[in-house]
Amino acid sequence: MKKILMKGNEAVAEAAIQAGCKFYAGYPITPQNEIPEYMSAHMPEAGGTFIQAESEIAAINMVFGASACGARAMTSSSSPGISLKQEGISYLCGAELPAVIVNMQRGGPGLGNISGSQADYFQAVKGGGHGDYRMIVYAPYNLQELWDMTMLCFDKADEYRTPVMLLGDGVLAQMMEPIFQTPYKKPTLPEKNWALTGCKGRQPNVIKSLYMGDGELEQRNKILQAKYSKIKENEVRYTTVNIEDTELIVVAYGISARIAYAAIRRLRNEGKKVGLFRPQTLFPFPEKQLRNLSENKRFMTVELNAGQMVEDVRLAVNGRSEVLFYGRAGGAMITPEELYEKINAAL
Amino acid sequence: MATPLSLKELSKKEDRLTSGHRMCSGCGAPTVVKMVMLATDYPVIASNATGCLEVSTCIQQFTSWNIPWIHNAFENAAATLSGVETMYRSLKKQGKIDQEIKFIAFGGDGGTYDIGLQSLSGAMERGHDMIYVCYDNGAYMNTGIQRSSATPLGADTTTCPVGSANPGKVQERKDLTRIMAAHGIPYVAQASPSNWADLMKKVRKAHEIKGPKFLNIIAPCNRGWRSKTDDAITLSRIAVDTCYWPLFEIENGVTKITYKPKEKKPLVDFLKPQGRFKHLFAPENEWLLQKAQEVVDRNWDRLLREEEFTAPKSE
């Protein structure tokens, strides 16, 4: 297979089309504009539908509608736009509808700026909308993963009947690098017999998130929580680099893991015992795996924010060992040199 | 006494939007905003929706606005200003402020026709004493020329790209000026920077009317329209002369066309200098060109009849 040079946003859009996405609704916001632009040009060729909505709220609700009809549906945005989508995400979870939501994070809060950031970790993994819900959250760190995980998002959304978020950032969205356009292989997935496809010859299907009967909603929540437990059991993904003999493990995801990797490589060349733990899923979080590593090792969480995932690392480690943090907020970038100094000082 | 509407007198006034902002050279929007604010001698407080105008005039640590200015998010310039204007009225009532201050919300067509329509409609219905000014360049220029509901029929944008499946935008423009008129607010008008005196008169008139007012002003964007950088005023004039962008006002339900071109020019005069319509001149798109002309004719004809129909009955 030949490697093809692609831009992050375009890789996401093309991977989605190849994974059988048949419905995309979006709205302009930097730095994810190439996704709707690419979709507008290529969805018609793929027999799919592109709609530019009048707002992010409209886009997520269009996805709700298309998904209810059984289509593989997707929307994308960047941080302020994802804030506007929160109502729809809560409803998708409540109604158990699969959908793929891409967030190419930018600096916040408020209008913030348009550079890469990881400030939406809490929003993505703790539930930015109302109600007790969880979303599967994938955190790619290069364009190959952006491609592969986009495809995975659709499968997991269908498997669990739940919205799945691809949590990228402005750097991954805008950078170009060569990738293998791995062909999509559809796994065996449950049939969408819940979809609203016209009820001629069968009982009508009902898709809703309103449960007013006595105890009804509690029952619904139990079902949802059981699903989230199953996801926690089966869907954790992470990778590690040189963690066996280390004293200090850097925990980082997405673009900050990439920065960390460069710093760690340099330290390793100098004989320093440093390794990298990179969660690929942020929910479910690899908490057991981190806990098992916590014997005689210290951690340093590195994020492009003021410290969000570090809370989950501390929960996982639960006081067994020290968890340090280094991060920069507001769309500021950490350089490998800067991180090299920080890790070196902590050793 | 108010400054006379003469170029000589106006040129002596200080601009309320200063130079040094980062709008593209040849952009129509700052010209429009300057005219709107030059038109009045009252102190003005402005709100701004997210968009080119907002990001380019408040580059970190600096501002081009010589007046109090507030920006919130994309969809709520009208709602944000509703809050400010209500606070002003309250302070006035309490006797803590006695100055007469005017309120203007600025938004592009994305922030006004699309995502901001709800907050605009709410502000107009509640009756806040403000002018909402939409500078309409017909697409989301700030994020890279995506279609909006103000994008004209047939235009090429990055989210309705011209190709084998699509001859550009297949929908007509949303008639926002008329939607605002349907709110039954005291004053709605359409203006163009090419007809500066007409534009400024409308702003002046609006300021003297209590309650919500709406102005829709065409603002050419050479990046999105793919036109020459020195063509903004020329193109807005052609937009008026082809009746693509008629100049009119609706005051308390009475429609008045404020400028009738002596000779209505064909729409192609407006379309030809713009790269976004280039494909319309291919033989296979002739039908679309025709349809675009028909839409302009239909709207102009309706406006003429509306003027006649709403004219006050003579004694």
Side-chain angles (χ1 to χ4, degrees), chain B residues 131-197:
Chain B
I131 307 178
Y132 190 105
V133 175
C134 175
Y135 71 97
D136 183 340
N137 55 25
Y140 291 83
M141 303 308 185
N142 186 40
T143 46
I145 318 165
Q146 293 87 10
R147 85 186 284 281
S148 78
S149 58
T151 303
L153 180 72
D156 183 20
T157 75
T158 54
T159 51
C160 54
V162 175
S164 53
N166 212 343
K169 194 187 174 202
V170 292
Q171 296 88 358
E172 291 176 24
R173 291 166 44 80
K174 185 190 278 181
D175 193 343
L176 183 67
T177 311
R178 206 161 291 281
I179 292 171
M180 297 326 295
H183 282 68
I185 57 178
Y187 191 73
V188 170
Q190 221 168 256
S192 162
S194 57
N195 300 53
W196 63 270

Side-chain angles (χ1 to χ4, degrees), chain B residues 264-292:
Chain B
K264 181 169 166 251
K265 293 194 170 140
L267 184 65
V268 289
D269 289 6
F270 176 63
L271 306 181
K272 205 101 197 214
Q274 301 181 48
R276 61 176 174 160
F277 297 116
K278 198 174 146 204
H279 59 287
L280 293 185
F281 297 92
E284 67 269 24
N285 287 328
E286 210 190 318
W287 65 276
L288 197 54
L289 205 56
Q290 250 173 36
K291 195 180 166 193

Side-chain angles (χ1 to χ4, degrees), chain A residues 27-30 33 37 40-41 44 50 52 54-56 84 111, chain B residues 50 54 71 74-75 110 114-115 140 143-144 146-147 158-159 161:
Chain A
Y27 188 72
I29 186 169
T30 311
N33 290 310
E37 288 171 9
S40 74
F50 161 83
Q52 186 183 313
E54 73 277 20
S55 69
E56 285 90 351
L84 284 176
L111 195 62
Chain B
T50 306
E54 170 264 324
H71 162 262
F74 197 5
E75 71 280 14
D114 291 346
I115 197 167
Y140 291 83
T143 46
Q146 293 87 10
R147 85 186 284 281
T158 54
T159 51

Side-chain angles (χ1 to χ4, degrees), chain A residues 69-256:
Chain A
C69 298
R72 281 201 150 174
M74 169 181 166
T75 185
S76 66
S77 192
S78 179
S79 309
I82 297 291
S83 291
L84 284 176
K85 289 184 193 292
Q86 292 305 321
E87 179 191 58
I89 293 173
S90 170
Y91 276 62
L92 284 164
C93 287
E96 290 196 90
L97 285 173
V100 176
I101 300 143
V102 180
N103 180 3
M104 293 302 187
Q105 297 170 90
R106 58 187 244 185
L111 195 62
N113 60 19
I114 55 171
S115 49
S117 164
Q118 297 183 318
D120 303 347
Y121 177 91
F122 282 153
Q123 187 197 50
V125 307
K126 311 283 178 191
H130 62 281
D132 261 328
Y133 73 83
R134 295 291 189 155
M135 231 186 336
I136 301 175
V137 181
Y138 288 105
Y141 92 126
N142 63 14
L143 264 56
Q144 188 63 54
E145 261 190 7
L146 218 50
W147 177 274
D148 297 338
M149 283 179 173
T150 298
M151 293 181 161
L152 191 63
C153 281
F154 283 98
D155 292 340
K156 294 299 168 189
D158 282 351
E159 184 179 341
Y160 290 100
R161 273 186 71 179
T162 193
V164 177
M165 178 168 279
L166 185 74
L167 192 66
D169 67 84
V171 181
L172 289 172
Q174 292 298 320
M175 68 191 271
M176 292 182 85
E177 63 184 359
I179 59 162
F180 291 112
Q181 291 195 343
T182 323
Y184 176 66
K185 278 196 208 94
K186 195 174 183 173
T188 316
L189 289 167
E191 214 186 310
K192 292 187 176 180
N193 53 11
W194 45 265
L196 307 181
T197 53
C199 63
K200 203 172 176 186
R202 64 161 168 82
Q203 285 296 306
N205 284 335
V206 177
I207 291 174
K208 62 170 187 172
S209 63
L210 176 74
Y211 294 93
M212 298 284 277
D214 192 24
E216 230 186 343
L217 186 59
E218 188 182 13
Q219 210 45 47
R220 276 307 302 166
N221 269 276
K222 280 181 182 162
I223 293 168
L224 289 179
Q225 291 306 322
K227 172 159 83 179
Y228 301 146
S229 296
K230 198 172 152 198
I231 290 171
K232 277 172 108 168
E233 207 51 54
N234 299 319
E235 301 304 334
V236 171
R237 285 178 187 236
Y238 64 97
T239 62
T240 59
V241 183
N242 304 126
I243 57 163
E244 296 74 25
D245 61 344
T246 51
E247 295 155 12
L248 185 94
I249 297 176
V250 174
V251 187
Y253 73 94
I255 195 68
S256 56

Side-chain angles (χ1 to χ4, degrees), chain B residues 119-128 180 183 185 212:
Chain B
S119 92
L120 168 60
S121 177
M124 297 291 111
E125 187 272 335
R126 284 190 303 271
H128 294 280
M180 297 326 295
H183 282 68
I185 57 178

